[in-house]
Amino acid sequence: METSSGIMWFFKDRGFDDKSIHDMFNKCRPLEVVDREIASETWDYLRSTGIPGGKLSMVVRKCPEILTLDLHDKLVPMIQCLATLESRPKEVASAIAKFPHILLHSLEEKLCPLLGFFEVLGAPEQQIGKLILLNPIIVSYSIESKLSRLVDFLASLGLSKDGMVGRFVAKHPFITRYSVEKRLRPACEFLRSLGLTEPQLQRAAMNFPEVLCRDVNRVLRYNVMYLESCGFSSSQLAAVVAGYPLVMINSVSKLLRPRIKFLKEAMGRSIDEIAEYPGFFRHDIRRLKSRQKLLTQNGVECSLSEMLDCKHKRFLLKFVV
């Protein structure tokens, strides 16, 4: 009871309210027997890593188990290893603030095997640290049941040459958060059902992996239904998606609808031209309006690609000057 009282005062001295303390005790029963001085030593060490006091309070609220860990046998070795991955100051502090539970995982059983896993995949050494520190939850993933399945899935899409998967995951770490069976594979199958060829699917996956991470029914199918309602045929839709895969996840109300409306009403063009130049959707609406205004003023007619697929200086030289 005396020890519990001591840890209570440890929290109160650092500004925790009664509700937060109660919640932490409920979340982590062993916290009640942690010595106040040991908790203070752990707190001071975590502060020394660069975590500001306010954020450190949040870290402890989210993961009070940290205060029950042995400082010198568990926390210090883990944080020292993470520090070797830093490319910029305070990246470790930021990673801990983002995912405090990273400190609960074993250095020998989780972090070191994970580093070795990405090295074998061919991820650039300087990118491995960035991959883990910017996406620290990855330390909690199982290599066997999650990451290896992701690797096999990516290889099936054509990322099979030496080092390709490693470089891909290092560049797009967010993809590790998603289930192959529940999210990535269904998205691929949906894209295939639209008529994308295997090379087109591979290019979409490699260049725009965020498309594979969206829910088929809530996002991908909704966008397809909108595009179909605009009059795109099946073959045109496949051409648009293959040419600009982000059309599958762009906001209908904020991006797709305003551009198609402007194309039809202000530019007097048909959606057939979008099928020929899917990159139309990546251009800002202000750019569309300014260039259309100049073309109209100068009585110039040209294709969408001629109008948009060049820098402004070249556009002026070609159509205005």
Side-chain angles (χ1 to χ4, degrees), residues 85-155:
L85 306 177
E86 278 189 328
S87 58
R88 296 178 182 176
K90 297 188 178 180
E91 283 185 332
V92 170
S94 176
I96 295 171
K98 189 182 294 184
F99 182 63
H101 294 78
I102 190 174
L103 298 178
L104 303 184
H105 292 280
S106 167
L107 174 62
E108 296 81 9
E109 296 177 12
K110 291 292 288 188
L111 183 57
C112 289
L114 186 64
L115 293 173
F117 177 75
F118 285 117
E119 286 177 6
V120 170
L121 286 180
E125 186 175 346
Q126 65 273 22
Q127 290 293 318
I128 295 177
K130 184 178 179 182
L131 167 65
I132 292 174
L133 294 178
L134 291 182
N135 194 47
I137 195 172
I138 199 172
V139 175
S140 68
Y141 297 157
S142 165
I143 291 176
E144 292 76 19
S145 64
K146 185 172 180 68
L147 297 178
S148 291
R149 289 184 182 179
L150 174 62
V151 169
D152 293 341
F153 170 74
L154 294 174

Side-chain angles (χ1 to χ4, degrees), residues 74-93:
K74 178 82 174 178
L75 283 178
V76 172
M78 181 61 133
I79 290 176
Q80 286 179 340
C81 183
L82 290 171
T84 66
L85 306 177
E86 278 189 328
S87 58
R88 296 178 182 176
K90 297 188 178 180
E91 283 185 332
V92 170

Side-chain angles (χ1 to χ4, degrees), residues 175-232:
I175 201 169
T176 60
R177 303 176 203 156
Y178 297 93
S179 165
V180 169
E181 300 306 325
K182 294 180 180 179
R183 184 61 60 87
L184 304 180
R185 198 184 306 282
C188 274
E189 292 304 320
F190 185 70
L191 293 177
R192 284 193 181 97
S193 73
L194 298 179
L196 269 68
T197 64
E198 287 307 306
Q200 288 172 336
L201 183 59
Q202 289 169 9
R203 284 195 296 273
M206 291 178 67
N207 297 317
F208 304 99
E210 55 268 46
V211 173
L212 303 185
C213 301
R214 297 299 191 272
D215 185 85
V216 168
N217 292 319
R218 287 188 294 178
V219 180
L220 306 187
R221 197 181 304 280
Y222 177 76
N223 279 30
V224 166
M225 289 173 64
Y226 170 70
L227 292 171
E228 288 175 337
S229 73
C230 293
F232 288 102

